[in-house]
Amino acid sequence: MMFVPSMLLKQLYTRASLTKRNKTVSFMLKNRLKDATIEELLFVTLDGKEIDPSKISLQIGAHKILSMAEVNQDGNIPFPLRDAVTVLMDIDEPISPEKRKLGISFRAAPFGKLKFEVEDNISSDDKPVTGIPRDPHDDYGQAIIKTRQQAFENFSGAKLDHVGKYSIDPQTLKGNIEHFIGVAQVPMGVAGPVVVNGEHAQGEFMIPMATTEGTLVASYNRGMKLLNASGGITATVIDDAMQRAPVFVFENARGARDFVKWVNENMGPIREHAESTSSVAKLTYIDNFLSNKFAFLRFNYKTGDAAGQNMVGRATFAACGWILDHYEGIKDFYLESNFATDKKASQINIMRTRGKRVVAEATIKREHLLDVMRVDPKQIDYHARVSAVGSFLSGVNNTGLHSPNGITAMFIATGQDVANVSESSAAIMYSELTEEGDLYLSLTIPSLIVATYGGGTGIGTQKECLQMMDCYGRDRCYKFAEIVGAVALAGEVSLASAISSSDWVSSHEQYGRNR
C-alpha cells in the first residue's frame, strides 16, 4: 500500500467537472499519480449525505459504463496515468453557483483505500461547445481529430493539406500534446560520423539534425571531420541533477530558519515520501536558501533516463504534502518558487547543475586545422580571448559561439523538450595552445537536459533518430548526453575556424539563405 498525501490526493478531482445533464449529475477523476487499478468503489457523498449505490455508475473510456455493483464485482478496472473516469449519479440536484461538498472513497492498487472531499458547484452540461472540440474519454480518436481539424479550417479559412498528414498513431501521444490536429514537419539532415571517446558513448555515430537553418548541418559535419582526424572527442558526464524548488512562507525570519533545521533533521521521511511516487526518482539532497521570511528548498533528484521535470514535480509535491501535515507554523506554500529556474537560463544552474553536466574536449593537431579549416591554432586561440571580452561585456551565459544551434537541431530530431534549450544553452568554452603548437579545446555544458525514455522520445521519427545512435530506452541517457556534448564541440570549432579564417560569410553565401 502506498501513502498519498491529502493535498496530492485531491488532485485526482478535475475541477469544474461537477455538472448536470437532464437528471444526471457527474464529475470526473483523472489519474495524476501513477498507473493504477480501481478495485472497489466504496461511496460517494454530496454535502455529507451518501448517494444510493444503485444510482452510481462509472464511465470508463468513450462508451463503457459500469454500475457501482459491476465495478465492485469486477474489482479490476484499469486506471492508467493521465486517463480519466467519469462518476455518474442518477440524482436530480439544482444547478447553482453555490459550492457543494463532494466526497468519494475507493480502493485502488497500489494505493489501497483512498478518500477525499472537495468543494465545487453544480453547473450545466448542456452549454453549447464554444471552444476547441474535445472528447474527455478519447481525445486522440480519429473522429474527434477530424472534428478539430474541420473546426480549425472553418475558423481560419486555411486548409490543413500538410499538417493533417502523419504516420504516427495519435493514441500514442497522450501526455505529449493536447487538442491534436496533426504534425509540423521540420527538414532533417545527417552529420558525421563523429568519433566519441566517452565512458558511455564509444565509437562512431551518425547525428540526425532537424533545422531550417542553411549551413548548420554542413558546418557541424566539417567540425566532426576535423576532430575525427585528431582522434575524436572525449566526452564526460560529471554531474546529474533535476530540481523542483518549493517555497514556504512563515511569520518571520526565525520561523523560516527553524523550519530549515527541521527539514534537515527529517530527511529520511521526506526522501521516503518523495521517492514513493516513482520507481526512478531518487532524492539526493535538498539545498536551502533563506531570504526575508521565506524558506526556499531546492530538491535535487536523479531521474534515470527521463528529463524528469514532471517526475520531480510529483515527487516534491508528495514530500511537501507530508511536510505540511507534520510541521506547524507554515503560513503559505508554493510548489515552485521560480528558484528551480525551469525553462530559463540562470547562474545557479551554471554553478549547481540542472540535467546533465557534460564536458567535451579534444586536442586538434595543427596540421589538421591548416588542412581542413585553413586556419592556424594561434588564430583560434587569440579569437577566443578577444571573444571572452565580448562575452563579459554582454553578460551572456555562454562563452562559446553557438552550441545551442546543434543542441536545438538534435533536440527537435530526437523528441526532447525543445524549451529546455533555454537552460541547455549555457556553456563554458576554454582553449589553450600546447607546447607542440596544437589546439586544446574544452566545452562544459552545465545544464544539458536530455532524455532517452519518456516524454516525446518514443514518438515515430523521434524514436528512430535516437535508435540511429543506439540511444533509445533505458540506460542510454548518459550516452546520449556525451554525444550531444561532442556534437556541440564540433560545431564550436567549425564556426570558430570559419570566423578566424574569414570563411563565415562565404559559407552562408554558398549553403545558406543569402543566395
Side-chain angles (χ1 to χ4, degrees):
M1 187 171 68
M2 181 181 297
F3 172 75
V4 182
S6 57
M7 184 175 64
L8 185 60
L9 187 57
K10 291 182 180 181
Q11 298 298 309
L12 292 172
Y13 177 72
T14 301
R15 288 186 298 174
S17 68
L18 186 60
T19 56
K20 178 182 180 182
R21 180 186 289 267
N22 299 325
K23 292 186 178 181
T24 299
V25 176
S26 64
F27 62 93
M28 187 174 294
L29 303 177
K30 185 173 182 178
N31 188 348
R32 296 176 172 90
L33 301 174
K34 62 184 300 183
D35 289 341
T37 301
I38 298 175
E39 298 176 325
E40 184 181 7
L41 183 56
L42 299 174
F43 62 78
V44 179
T45 61
L46 190 62
D47 295 331
K49 182 180 179 182
E50 193 168 319
I51 305 298
D52 184 345
S54 67
K55 297 181 180 295
I56 299 173
S57 55
L58 209 62
Q59 181 175 350
I60 305 157
H63 307 292
K64 187 177 181 180
I65 297 178
L66 299 176
S67 67
M68 182 170 169
E70 289 172 326
V71 169
N72 294 345
Q73 183 178 2
D74 187 319
N76 189 30
I77 307 299
F79 193 22
L81 181 66
R82 290 186 291 270
D83 268 20
V85 297
T86 300
V87 180
L88 305 164
M89 301 173 287
D90 294 328
I91 55 176
D92 190 10
E93 293 289 330
I95 294 171
S96 170
E98 297 297 325
K99 296 288 185 182
R100 309 287 296 272
K101 287 186 178 180
L102 178 68
I104 185 170
S105 180
F106 60 98
R107 296 187 189 277
F111 306 107
K113 183 179 177 181
L114 300 176
K115 176 184 176 183
F116 64 89
E117 188 175 77
V118 296
E119 289 190 347
D120 203 352
N121 67 293
I122 300 176
S123 59
S124 174
D125 194 35
D126 295 325
K127 297 176 182 177
V129 177
T130 56
I132 297 171
R134 293 192 68 249
D135 183 337
H137 292 284
D138 187 15
D139 209 37
Y140 299 85
Q142 289 300 326
I144 189 64
I145 292 171
K146 289 188 179 298
T147 299
R148 273 196 296 268
Q149 290 173 340
Q150 188 62 55
F152 178 83
E153 290 182 341
N154 292 342
F155 180 84
S156 66
K159 297 294 292 181
L160 299 180
D161 293 328
H162 297 284
V163 169
K165 296 176 183 177
Y166 47 86
S167 59
I168 54 179
D169 178 4
Q171 293 292 345
T172 65
L173 300 178
K174 295 177 181 178
N176 293 121
I177 187 73
E178 299 78 41
H179 309 157
F180 176 79
I181 61 170
V183 298
Q185 300 180 71
V186 182
M188 188 182 303
V190 64
V194 59
V195 176
V196 183
N197 307 312
E199 294 177 304
H200 305 272
Q202 298 175 354
E204 295 185 334
F205 299 91
M206 299 297 291
I207 308 300
M209 308 184 82
T211 182
T212 56
E213 181 182 349
T215 76
L216 189 144
V217 177
S219 175
Y220 277 80
N221 194 64
R222 189 170 73 148
M224 293 172 192
K225 177 183 177 181
L226 170 67
L227 292 168
N228 289 349
S230 293
I233 306 160
T234 300
T236 310
V237 177
I238 59 175
D239 198 9
D240 180 5
M242 179 51 65
Q243 297 82 20
R244 185 61 61 200
V247 59
F248 295 81
V249 182
F250 295 87
E251 191 69 40
N252 52 43
R254 291 179 188 174
R257 179 199 63 189
D258 294 345
F259 169 71
V260 165
K261 180 182 177 182
W262 179 88
V263 167
N264 292 333
E265 292 170 349
N266 287 272
M267 274 299 297
I270 291 173
R271 177 177 286 111
E272 178 185 347
H273 285 86
E275 295 180 357
S276 70
T277 64
S278 170
S279 61
V280 176
K282 301 300 177 187
L283 178 59
T284 54
Y285 63 97
I286 300 176
D287 279 326
N288 62 81
F289 300 87
L290 294 171
S291 179
N292 306 95
K293 57 181 181 178
F294 311 128
F296 295 86
L297 301 184
R298 200 166 189 261
F299 285 65
N300 291 266
Y301 298 84
K302 291 189 183 299
T303 58
D305 296 288
Q309 290 100 320
N310 293 334
M311 182 192 302
V312 305
R314 288 196 303 272
T316 305
F317 194 59
C320 290
W322 183 86
I323 290 171
L324 291 169
D325 286 346
H326 289 82
Y327 192 86
E328 296 182 0
I330 299 171
K331 299 299 181 182
D332 213 340
F333 155 79
Y334 301 95
L335 180 63
E336 181 49 63
S337 63
N338 221 14
F339 204 51
T341 69
D342 195 13
K343 309 295 173 65
K344 294 174 285 293
S346 67
Q347 189 64 32
I348 192 169
N349 287 342
I350 292 175
M351 298 297 292
R352 298 290 281 160
T353 301
R354 182 168 168 85
K356 309 297 185 278
R357 194 178 195 91
V358 184
V359 178
E361 51 196 338
T363 299
I364 309 168
K365 295 291 186 181
R366 180 175 183 272
E367 58 264 31
H368 296 152
L369 266 171
L370 289 170
D371 179 45
V372 178
M373 299 295 189
R374 303 188 302 279
V375 66
D376 191 278
K378 291 181 180 179
Q379 292 174 265
I380 293 181
D381 183 61
Y382 181 69
H383 175 225
R385 284 183 280 127
V386 173
S387 296
V389 176
S391 298
F392 173 77
L393 290 173
S394 63
V396 295
N397 69 337
N398 189 325
T399 61
L401 293 171
H402 74 145
S403 60
N405 246 340
I407 292 172
T408 304
M410 291 189 72
F411 274 22
I412 295 172
T414 60
Q416 309 300 308
D417 186 338
V418 185
N420 287 330
V421 172
S422 56
E423 292 121 297
S424 303
S425 66
I428 305 158
M429 191 73 183
Y430 173 75
S431 68
E432 67 179 36
L433 294 173
T434 69
E435 292 183 0
E436 294 78 15
D438 300 327
L439 180 68
Y440 168 80
L441 287 179
S442 174
L443 181 72
T444 298
I445 306 175
S447 46
L448 179 66
I449 302 176
V450 291
T452 57
Y453 186 80
T457 62
I459 300 171
T461 60
Q462 291 85 343
K463 180 179 179 180
E464 288 179 6
C465 287
L466 284 169
Q467 289 173 330
M468 278 177 58
M469 299 174 284
D470 188 31
C471 285
Y472 175 72
R474 297 188 184 276
D475 301 321
R476 295 290 192 278
C477 200
Y478 279 20
K479 179 179 183 178
F480 183 55
E482 289 177 348
I483 294 172
V484 174
V487 170
L489 184 65
E492 290 296 296
V493 69
S494 181
L495 182 55
S497 299
I499 295 174
S500 297
S501 66
S502 300
D503 192 35
W504 187 24
V505 174
S506 61
S507 294
H508 273 272
E509 289 287 350
Q510 181 177 357
Y511 298 108
R513 295 173 180 152
N514 302 324
R515 52 184 185 277

